[in-house]
Amino acid sequence: MFIDRPGLARRMFELLEPICLVTFFADECNEELAALGHRTYWDGYFASRAAPLGWVPAQVVHAAFYSFAEGEAARHIPSAWEKIPPEASVAARERGSAASLRRILGDELATSAGLGRAADLVTKAATSAPTNGRVMYAGMRTLAVPSDPVARLWHSATMLREHRGDGHVAALVGAGIGGTEAHVISALAHGIYPAESFGRIHHLPEQRLAAVMDGLRERGLIDADGRFTDAGRETQQRIEALTDELATPPYDALTPGELDELIAALEPLTATLVAAGSQ
């Protein structure tokens, strides 16, 4: 039986991403982190997402996260850990994210056999891939997998998200695209214009953004108006295709029948989350 592995990886990303997005879009995770004493959303974000790496310097977090501007990680790491241990932050992230999923999905879906089976299969995939060169994924693999099905589904989907993210960083590095440049390219690919208005970069100093845009123009990736050239669009598509290819190893652990079963189990969960905007 032929399996389009990159196509499968893209489909799984579409199905799993709404599960992961509750961490960032819904209220419960931020409330849990605030209750620990994190002063801002970004304190909680950096402290909890970087926590599986251990007590590492800001430079390491910056390198692993890749897409944040210089100095952004250092505004939160290690200060966000000085009064709140990393393990407390990552536990709060899990509690809040699982609570969001339960609320959005409702009792019927959250306690269904389909969710339990999806959690088991996602976990089987998420705990099977090599960790070589996958810093964020390797960090997540050191954490205990929750026994509760809803928490386990979120945890393992997030492991796969970090696995994919590590591969995406490798694709960007290979294409010579820096972190801030990656946001410009992503914004244009999603129809956001001007790209400088994108929420992840619009706060950066005007001179910094101008330098990034000028660099992309010099390389022929955007035109004078700040829109994709043909070369720029081809580069973006090549990066996404390689990201899909690099995201395939976890799914080699599942049989074709298990893959079909997983997709069928995830579809109603994802549809509910998408309808709610994962919040």
Side-chain angles (χ1 to χ4, degrees):
M1 176 181 178
F2 172 76
I3 296 177
D4 174 9
R5 294 172 78 248
L8 170 65
R10 171 61 58 168
R11 178 64 177 141
M12 292 307 304
F13 170 70
E14 294 167 350
L15 288 168
L16 294 173
E17 183 71 351
I19 295 170
C20 303
L21 289 180
V22 300
T23 304
F24 314 112
F25 292 171
D27 292 333
E28 286 89 343
C29 181
N30 195 46
E31 289 169 355
E32 288 276 359
L33 291 166
L36 283 182
H38 289 298
R39 300 165 301 167
T40 68
Y41 173 89
W42 289 111
D43 272 355
Y45 172 90
F46 276 91
S48 62
R49 186 178 170 216
L53 300 178
W55 197 294
V56 296
Q59 295 94 323
V60 174
V61 176
H62 174 74
F65 283 17
Y66 192 74
S67 60
F68 286 87
E70 288 287 343
E72 288 191 330
R75 286 201 288 272
H76 309 280
I77 300 296
S79 61
W81 291 332
E82 287 172 353
K83 294 183 179 179
I84 304 165
E87 56 269 23
S89 294
V90 77
R93 182 176 71 150
E94 180 182 294
R95 284 195 306 272
S97 299
S100 295
L101 285 178
R102 289 190 194 93
R103 172 179 56 80
I104 297 167
L105 292 175
D107 288 343
E108 184 174 350
L109 282 176
T111 61
S112 66
L115 184 142
R117 183 58 173 156
D120 290 343
L121 291 173
V122 171
T123 300
K124 182 178 179 180
T127 55
S128 71
T131 58
N132 298 346
R134 309 274 185 167
V135 174
M136 293 300 300
Y137 172 63
M140 284 289 296
R141 284 281 298 272
T142 68
L143 303 179
V145 177
S147 58
D148 171 73
V150 174
R152 186 164 69 252
L153 178 64
W154 172 84
H155 178 92
S156 297
T158 299
M159 271 198 281
L160 290 171
R161 188 177 200 262
E162 295 291 17
H163 179 279
R164 182 183 179 87
D166 287 332
H168 188 57
V169 169
L172 290 167
V173 171
I177 301 296
T180 307
E181 292 176 328
H183 285 310
V184 172
I185 287 174
S186 178
L188 292 175
H190 287 88
I192 299 171
Y193 182 82
E196 298 96 317
S197 67
F198 183 39
R200 289 292 300 273
I201 58 174
H202 80 278
H203 63 287
L204 297 178
E206 197 171 306
Q207 286 185 325
R208 165 71 176 140
L209 277 177
V212 169
M213 299 298 284
D214 287 345
L216 291 171
R217 286 190 187 93
E218 289 170 7
R219 295 170 59 186
L221 300 179
I222 62 173
D223 61 21
D225 294 328
R227 298 182 185 275
F228 269 142
T229 61
D230 289 344
R233 190 171 298 281
E234 189 276 332
T235 296
Q236 185 270 334
Q237 292 171 348
R238 188 172 69 250
I239 289 168
E240 289 301 310
L242 181 55
T243 299
D244 287 337
E245 177 61 38
L246 293 174
T248 61
Y251 304 109
D252 291 341
L254 303 181
T255 67
E258 287 175 328
L259 288 169
D260 289 342
E261 188 180 0
L262 175 56
I263 290 169
L266 285 173
E267 282 176 341
L269 307 177
T270 299
T272 301
L273 289 162
V274 169
S278 293
Q279 61 186 330

